[in-house]
Amino acid sequence: MSELSKSSSYSFFDIVEKCDNYPYSDSAVSSSGLNDIPLLLDNDVKVGLLLPSTVKALKEYNRLKKPNPFIIEDKYVKFAAHLNTFEKRTEVVKQLFDTWREEKLFPALSGWRDELYPIYGDSENPTNVAFVMERCATPLFGVLTFGVHLNGYTRTEQGQLKMWIAKRAKTKPTWPGWLDNIVAGGIPYTLNVTESVVKEAMEEASLSMEIAEKAVPVSAISYFIATQKGLQPESQYIYDLEIPLDVEPKPLDGEVECFYLWDMDEVINHIKADEFKPNCALVVIDFLIRHSIIDPNNEPDYLNILSRIHRRLDFPTKAKSIK
Amino acid sequence: MSELSKSSSYSFFDIVEKCDNYPYSDSAVSSSGLNDIPLLLDNDVKVGLLLPSTVKALKEYNRLKKPNPFIIEDKYVKFAAHLNTFEKRTEVVKQLFDTWREEKLFPALSGWRDELYPIYGDSENPTNVAFVMERCATPLFGVLTFGVHLNGYTRTEQGQLKMWIAKRAKTKPTWPGWLDNIVAGGIPYTLNVTESVVKEAMEEASLSMEIAEKAVPVSAISYFIATQKGLQPESQYIYDLEIPLDVEPKPLDGEVECFYLWDMDEVINHIKADEFKPNCALVVIDFLIRHSIIDPNNEPDYLNILSRIHRRLDFPTKAKSIK
């Protein structure tokens, strides 16, 4: 490892813990103060987790609506029994967040995106989607969301591995100016994972479809991050793309300020200096493990890192049954 | 996927659940009947989990020894305060299992190996090892154990991926006749992970050191399996090795009956037919994910599989602090 990396102040595990920062229920270290309340579908499937502040606002909202859209008890909040279809749940949730947005009740809702995310858990529905909701509101419901990240790398003629890294535009509403993977985004309700990554690669990094389509799925990370906006259990599918030496990703849609091509020591140094958006650092750490750069003999937290970046999130996914 | 794979009866996730079969404490589905008792060091660090049958036998044993080696309460079993060094704990544990072996109290002890495994958790000790103990006794203490598995694969001249698979000898004390990775073994107390895999590759598969040394660390899996022998939280470091087309692994030490070279559809078919030793199937499933054969669009349980094969095990590892 180069001189640069030696001067860094964080371990890889420190960076993992910054992202996967929600307490584990079985951990003696961190079991304090879990006052968050599960959000259940009408069929009792747990789909989210609510902060006490959200529950309080929901009580206010619920009181004024007849019939009450939610059943609010000390131990859970549940969709009322009449909200038993995709359409009915989606409509009620839309009305709720439209109201809260107008009332400017939660800062999270100021970043409205007009982008719908699917919430899974309705085994009656052929696609298992219980409802869809506005992307920026998901931390208020603490629902599991899905995205896709792309590692863009090259190999020099001497076989040296290098990685393309994006610097987020200063105008981004979240994490402006932080480092990022070359492509990262949510998965729109209407696209599958591979279609999403190809679309984003063209929009965010000006890669041609011919190149973008060579991206291959290799992994996924899952973690649970609590931020000022709320609770965010997240899963990110990970793709790798070897970018030809004569191709350069270029900013296109204003999301990225510029791209850097760094050797792996430089990438590591910037991770350890805490300059990456936390979940993007995890995507690179996963790459470093798969490419034998982080290995069991040089990293005492090898196993802990792998477990923490693949956190079991106790919420439904596309798969029909609860695992 | 070929015709062969279509006739199979298990999903990948079914196979994962066969191996990671110990209940999760936070899961509504499986929280019933967790009567197992933590085993604590004298410094209160949890290092294992004891079945009620083991606690019962420990009470008997403890009653006859002065000073009592263990403090046995309803909620935990703990090393007595005077057992505060590596040497003292190791000696007490050796005496215990030597006695139980003589008394033929537990079937697990009939497979005595004279191989010492390290149990981590003593932050006073420079290596963090609290004590070492006989390998075959580890399921009785429910301590975390570590191994290393090697995926041996080739690429044909046409670029087709194939994998070498071992058939375990019919004389093996555990899982005789089941399918296995080409190399798999525990990590002796005296070797590091890479040294272990190179040694095992030479002993189990007759690979030359020149070839074995090209194995690269790429991943690790962790899971918690309960068997008739006891409780086994396990972590397996994973290495990949591309084996030249003109090299064939060959049985050497009697552990392996024969090696097969299969295309990936054949490998998948044998996994889904439940012919692999369960943890070896997980090692191959991890390979299939990293090599884009299992992908997010063809496997609805993609995320669930990744979380379950990287289970967070709430026991100390080589890393000094508890994570």
Side-chain angles (χ1 to χ4, degrees), chain A residues 126-308:
Chain A
T127 63
N128 193 31
V129 178
F131 60 95
V132 294
M133 65 182 283
E134 160 62 25
R135 175 173 176 172
C136 81
T138 54
L140 294 174
F141 267 9
V143 286
L144 177 53
T145 61
F146 306 88
V148 58
H149 286 238
L150 178 65
N151 292 301
Y153 67 97
T154 61
R155 272 182 208 281
T156 66
E157 277 156 24
Q158 295 76 38
Q160 194 201 353
L161 204 57
K162 294 193 168 202
M163 189 176 252
W164 285 100
I165 298 293
K167 182 171 186 178
R168 295 165 68 86
K170 294 202 178 65
T171 51
K172 290 275 280 186
T174 58
W175 301 93
W178 289 69
L179 298 174
D180 201 334
N181 313 116
I182 63 159
V183 172
I187 302 172
Y189 178 47
T190 47
L191 297 183
N192 77 22
V193 187
T194 305
E195 289 164 349
S196 298
V197 77
V198 170
K199 174 177 161 284
E200 295 276 345
M202 296 163 68
E203 288 177 8
E204 288 189 4
S206 321
L207 294 174
S208 68
M209 181 175 282
E210 193 195 345
I211 289 173
E213 280 184 339
K214 293 198 173 121
V216 287
V218 285
S219 184
I221 57 169
S222 295
Y223 50 86
F224 195 151
I225 186 165
T227 71
Q228 287 189 315
K229 289 194 178 159
L231 304 175
Q232 296 174 255
E234 296 183 347
S235 289
Q236 310 288 355
Y237 296 98
I238 300 180
Y239 283 63
D240 279 358
L241 173 62
E242 182 165 355
I243 295 178
L245 274 170
D246 58 352
V247 172
E248 267 190 41
K250 289 191 185 69
L252 179 65
D253 61 4
E255 308 259 318
V256 172
E257 182 178 307
C258 61
F259 289 100
Y260 303 109
L261 180 61
W262 284 334
D263 64 38
M264 299 314 293
D265 269 352
E266 278 176 285
V267 174
I268 289 169
N269 184 55
H270 288 282
I271 290 175
K272 293 191 164 187
D274 192 23
E275 295 171 12
F276 274 78
K277 180 166 177 267
N279 63 345
C280 304
L282 268 49
V283 171
V284 179
I285 287 171
D286 177 84
F287 180 94
L288 294 169
I289 290 174
R290 288 184 290 103
H291 288 80
S292 311
I293 296 166
I294 295 178
D295 79 36
N297 300 311
N298 70 19
E299 175 52 64
D301 276 310
Y302 192 81
L303 298 171
N304 296 323
I305 290 170
L306 276 165
S307 295
R308 292 289 293 272

Side-chain angles (χ1 to χ4, degrees), chain A residues 13 194 217 292 297 301 319 323, chain B residues 13 26 194 217 292 297 301 319 323:
Chain A
F13 192 76
T194 305
S292 311
N297 300 311
D301 276 310
K323 312 288 157 121
Chain B
F13 192 76
D26 63 344
T194 305
S292 313
N297 301 312
D301 276 310
K323 313 288 157 120

